[in-house]
Amino acid sequence: MSGFVTKPEPVQVPGLVHLHTGKVRDLYRADNGDLVMVASDRTSAFDWVLPNEIPDKGRILTQLSLWWFERIADLVPNHVVSTELPAGAPADWQGRTLVCRSLDMVPVECVARGYLAGSGLEEYRVSRTVCGIALPEGLEDGSELPAPVYTPALKAEVGEHDENVPYEETARRLGPELAATLRQTTLAVYSRARDIARDRGIILADTKFEFGLLDGELVIGDEVLTPDSSRFWPADQWQPGHAQPSFDKQFIRDWLASPASGWDRKGEEPPPALPADIVERSRAKYVEAYERLTGTDWA
């Protein structure tokens, strides 16, 4: 069992129609057809959306995505139309709201991996492959791959796991031309971002993108290259052979998995509320990632 511990009621705004409440974002449609995407401070772990929020998280994700969109604009266009608040929107939406073009979303999450971690590590330990891509012997948890690999996944509903699939399956579902373009664009954006992050002392281990089509053109949407969609590791602490320190929800996952939480991950009860110190330490990691990548202080 998984999903929302308590699913929030959507904010009602005149002129906007609520479409969807996701793990982090709420999606609305404006009268002119544009989409309004609002990043909340919700957080999730182990397929549960937790009762606690991480203060400023939604704004950090939004502002970091905007920063990255500028740096990959020559590789792929993005969906952002404006950052201005729609008329009648609550003041709390400031800094966490994007007005976006409506895309025909591609039903595949496009994942690029430059290091071995997560579900890729689990598969490698069994078969020496990741999504069917053969890898050399001798790699460890956190090892750098010989070259970045593209490992697509089918996007799941809230509370379910995304399903890794072979590239050939995406070609069957989407057609060979679109599948090839997704792979090429994903790896190009990952490589650009990996080099930028490396210059700032951060390893971009892996990341996922969502793309859509607009008048036949591939456009990148949702969030990009944030701690919620990427594994960022401090380069000066990287040491293959074990799990790496990271700029994400690891504090939350570690506490929930510890005896201190009193929670049985395999049971049917929802997870408990997070202690204040876990919330603050998690917020500090999001802030640190933003500041180290952009070189600017988080106000």
Side-chain angles (χ1 to χ4, degrees):
M1 185 176 179
S2 54
F4 288 88
V5 173
T6 303
K7 191 168 185 177
E9 290 294 324
V11 176
Q12 300 299 325
V13 178
L16 299 183
V17 176
H18 177 260
L19 299 178
H20 178 67
T21 296
K23 289 181 179 180
V24 173
R25 287 166 181 77
D26 296 298
L27 192 63
Y28 297 80
R29 188 178 300 281
D31 289 339
N32 67 355
D34 286 342
L35 296 179
V36 178
M37 192 168 66
V38 185
S40 74
D41 292 337
R42 294 190 295 269
T43 193
S44 63
F46 301 120
D47 296 320
W48 282 97
V49 180
L50 304 178
N52 298 73
E53 294 188 339
I54 307 300
D56 290 327
K57 180 187 170 212
R59 291 188 176 89
I60 292 170
L61 298 182
T62 300
Q63 298 308 310
L64 190 54
S65 289
L66 289 168
W67 187 84
W68 280 113
F69 280 140
E70 292 181 358
R71 281 149 185 82
I72 62 173
D74 60 314
L75 300 176
V76 60
N78 64 73
H79 64 161
V80 177
V81 174
S82 170
T83 58
E84 293 185 11
L85 284 186
D92 181 63
W93 283 15
Q94 187 67 50
R96 63 175 77 242
T97 301
L98 298 178
V99 180
C100 305
R101 293 174 289 178
S102 182
L103 308 177
D104 181 13
M105 298 304 295
V106 177
V108 170
E109 285 207 334
C110 297
V111 181
R113 303 174 189 268
Y115 293 75
L116 196 58
S119 61
L121 173 64
E122 294 175 7
E123 180 183 333
Y124 175 82
R125 285 172 168 167
V126 173
S127 61
R128 298 299 184 265
T129 64
V130 175
C131 286
I133 301 171
L135 295 175
E137 293 282 344
L139 300 181
E140 302 177 285
D141 187 351
S143 289
E144 184 173 8
L145 303 181
V149 296
Y150 172 66
T151 60
L154 301 181
K155 189 169 176 60
E157 297 296 322
V158 174
E160 302 295 331
H161 288 291
D162 295 339
E163 179 189 356
N164 292 342
V165 294
Y167 170 76
E168 291 74 17
E169 175 64 15
T170 66
R172 186 186 70 81
R173 289 176 179 240
L174 306 175
E177 184 176 348
L178 178 56
T181 301
L182 289 170
R183 177 170 61 182
Q184 178 183 359
T185 306
T186 296
L187 291 174
V189 173
Y190 169 79
S191 297
R192 169 76 58 80
R194 175 202 59 197
D195 293 347
I196 291 173
R198 183 179 291 158
D199 288 343
R200 290 156 171 79
I202 291 179
I203 289 173
L204 174 57
D206 56 43
T207 191
K208 61 182 179 180
F209 305 120
E210 293 196 37
F211 295 95
L213 296 172
L214 182 66
D215 298 329
E217 182 181 31
L218 192 68
V219 177
I220 196 166
D222 199 44
E223 64 178 327
V224 291
L225 298 158
T226 73
D228 270 19
S229 64
S230 314
R231 281 189 177 87
F232 290 117
W233 299 336
D236 60 356
Q237 299 179 55
W238 174 57
Q239 188 176 30
H242 55 76
Q244 309 299 310
S246 58
F247 294 95
D248 59 11
K249 299 177 285 190
Q250 199 58 48
F251 285 124
I252 294 172
R253 296 189 192 98
D254 289 347
W255 183 81
L256 287 172
S258 74
S261 74
W263 180 53
D264 179 7
R265 285 175 52 192
K266 298 181 179 179
E268 296 189 359
E269 292 298 314
L274 303 172
D277 68 307
I278 299 298
V279 171
E280 180 52 39
R281 290 167 73 187
S282 296
R283 178 188 179 277
K285 278 296 178 186
Y286 280 97
V287 170
E288 184 181 357
Y290 174 87
E291 292 183 341
R292 288 184 64 169
L293 285 167
T294 67
T296 59
D297 292 337
W298 178 255

